[in-house]
Amino acid sequence: MKYPSLADYLNQQNTAADLQSVLLGLADTSINISKALAKGALAGVLGAAGAENVQGEDQKKLDVIANDLIKNDLATLSAVRGLASEEETAVVACNLDGKFLVTFDPLDGSSNIDINSMVGTIFSVLSSDADGPVTESEFLQAGRHQKAAGYVLYGPSAMLVISTGNGVAMFTLDPDTGTYLLTDDQINIPKETAEFSVNMSNQRHWDPAMQRYISELMAGKEGPRGKNYNMRWVAAMVADVHRILCRGGLFTYPWDARKPEQAGKLRLMYEANPMGFLVEQAGGEIWTPEGKILDIQPDNIHQRVPVILGAAEEVNTCVSYHN
Ligand code: F6P
Ligand code: MN
């Protein structure tokens, strides 16, 4: 059996040539990131780089490497007007005549690097018809307007997962040829689930509604939900969402009373929105307690948001506890 390449798939989808150049460019860069990750300690790149990122978290050397690889490669593409990254305080101008803006988390779940566990790159592609200097305000579009979104999961195999608004496609990197080959394009999140994903150690700091929802899942067959739930937590959103796209489930990163001004931990523009685009394209839902995440009008590129995503019925049930 011959597996279609990423380029074959994009042609089949009638994806415009300029958008193809962005997606193919990100795919190529991710192969270089996966090579840097595979070298691990041998490349002398583990550990903190000594700087903090804009959210005040320790920056790992590989975060910086992944960020620079993506930034430099996107800057060479005529279709890319500007970019915003978790690792960059401000938006970065690329080619002013380009039509696309790319936001990305270069290395999601980066605390997993030091334990040789899964990490990933998350990206979102928006369009802009602005002229002149690139400004943050061009980026501040609701997730509903994304032209494409996806991630690369660096796991036992590297997998690229994308949507251009017509379903979700998963590609597996063939390390022998350095090409991503389509291995699944029938991605569908079942509406019901018996598996959830949350960092339980924070339970006492959540909103009381979320505390009650999760305790009722934990109560299992004898509790109000009347069934036993399993729990998984990889501590890399990219890997937890990948599992949900593969076998279903609910994932949440709730609001936390210790940092009420932060609204949540995950970033709207390069974590929640791109993952939300994929999840909705796979038949799932993504909400904050107040509404659908893809409808939020962002007010800054690094804004955070509480996230509830995955199996449609379970997400609706969780949201209903907050009303
Ligand atoms: O990017 C933030 C992130 O690393 C996510 O990938 C992940 O879901 C979460 O933080 C892990 O948080 P915690 O440290 O609470 O497990
Ligand atoms: Mn992240």
Side-chain angles (χ1 to χ4, degrees):
M1 170 171 174
K2 186 182 175 313
Y3 296 97
S5 68
L6 175 59
D8 293 339
Y9 172 81
L10 293 172
N11 283 328
Q12 209 177 55
Q13 294 277 314
N14 295 319
T15 308
D18 49 4
L19 182 54
Q20 284 204 26
S21 73
V22 178
L23 297 171
L24 292 166
L26 285 164
D28 281 348
T29 307
S30 74
I31 296 173
N32 291 328
I33 297 173
S34 91
K35 285 180 187 158
L37 287 165
K39 280 197 178 153
L42 297 175
V45 290
L46 291 181
E52 282 191 341
N53 69 12
V54 286
Q55 275 84 27
E57 294 157 353
D58 265 353
Q59 222 173 45
K60 308 287 178 191
K61 283 183 185 169
L62 274 161
D63 295 12
V64 181
I65 291 167
N67 185 60
D68 292 351
L69 284 170
I70 299 171
K71 187 167 73 163
N72 295 340
D73 287 355
L74 287 178
T76 66
L77 301 177
S78 59
V80 177
R81 178 170 154 79
L83 58 86
S85 161
E86 178 182 341
E87 303 295 342
E88 304 281 340
T89 314
V91 302
V92 176
C94 297
N95 299 297
L96 296 189
D97 294 333
K99 167 173 161 195
F100 294 109
L101 305 171
V102 182
T103 68
F104 57 93
D105 180 351
L107 213 53
D108 176 63
S110 54
S111 66
N112 276 355
I113 291 166
D114 292 339
I115 58 166
N116 194 25
S117 187
M118 285 185 282
V119 290
T121 297
I122 308 174
F123 56 88
S124 160
V125 184
L126 296 160
S127 70
S128 169
D129 45 22
D131 289 323
V134 177
T135 60
E136 178 170 354
S137 61
E138 294 168 52
F139 286 76
L140 304 180
Q141 307 176 32
R144 199 67 69 203
H145 299 302
Q146 290 170 100
K147 299 296 176 226
Y151 63 80
V152 177
L153 173 66
Y154 309 105
S157 37
M159 292 192 72
L160 169 69
V161 180
I162 58 163
S163 178
T164 54
N166 182 28
V168 176
M170 290 191 177
F171 300 82
T172 305
L173 179 64
D174 177 351
D176 293 335
T177 58
T179 44
Y180 281 108
L181 301 177
L182 181 68
T183 41
D184 201 346
D185 61 358
Q186 302 295 312
I187 309 301
N188 177 47
I189 302 173
K191 304 227 170 304
E192 294 176 31
T193 187
E195 189 163 80
F196 70 99
S197 187
V198 68
N199 184 343
M200 281 299 299
S201 68
N202 300 327
Q203 186 175 25
R204 69 195 183 283
H205 304 294
W206 303 332
D207 183 277
M210 186 58 92
Q211 294 199 35
R212 185 166 72 86
Y213 168 71
I214 296 287
S215 5
E216 293 189 0
L217 301 186
M218 299 279 288
K221 208 165 175 8
E222 297 74 32
R225 300 299 306 277
K227 69 178 183 189
N228 292 326
Y229 283 79
N230 186 36
M231 199 202 88
R232 286 287 184 273
W233 185 248
V234 184
M237 183 194 200
V238 72
D240 282 311
V241 171
H242 186 71
R243 184 188 58 258
I244 286 172
L245 289 170
C246 292
R247 73 173 192 210
L250 174 135
F251 167 95
T252 180
Y253 211 107
W255 174 86
D256 188 308
R258 284 167 297 181
K259 291 190 175 163
E261 73 293 351
Q262 277 195 356
K265 181 174 188 189
L266 299 177
R267 274 51 70 102
L268 176 63
M269 295 211 63
Y270 39 81
E271 293 183 316
N273 274 345
M275 291 314 207
F277 195 72
L278 297 171
V279 164
E280 284 200 2
Q281 284 292 321
E285 294 266 349
I286 175 163
W287 286 68
T288 68
E290 290 79 34
K292 285 185 189 265
I293 283 189
L294 295 190
D295 294 329
I296 295 175
Q297 171 59 47
D299 55 33
N300 84 79
I301 50 168
H302 296 297
Q303 134 180 21
R304 300 178 192 250
V305 66
V307 172
I308 305 160
L309 68 80
E313 283 186 12
E314 198 57 55
V315 170
N316 290 333
T317 304
C318 176
V319 170
S320 72
Y321 278 58
H322 294 78
N323 296 329

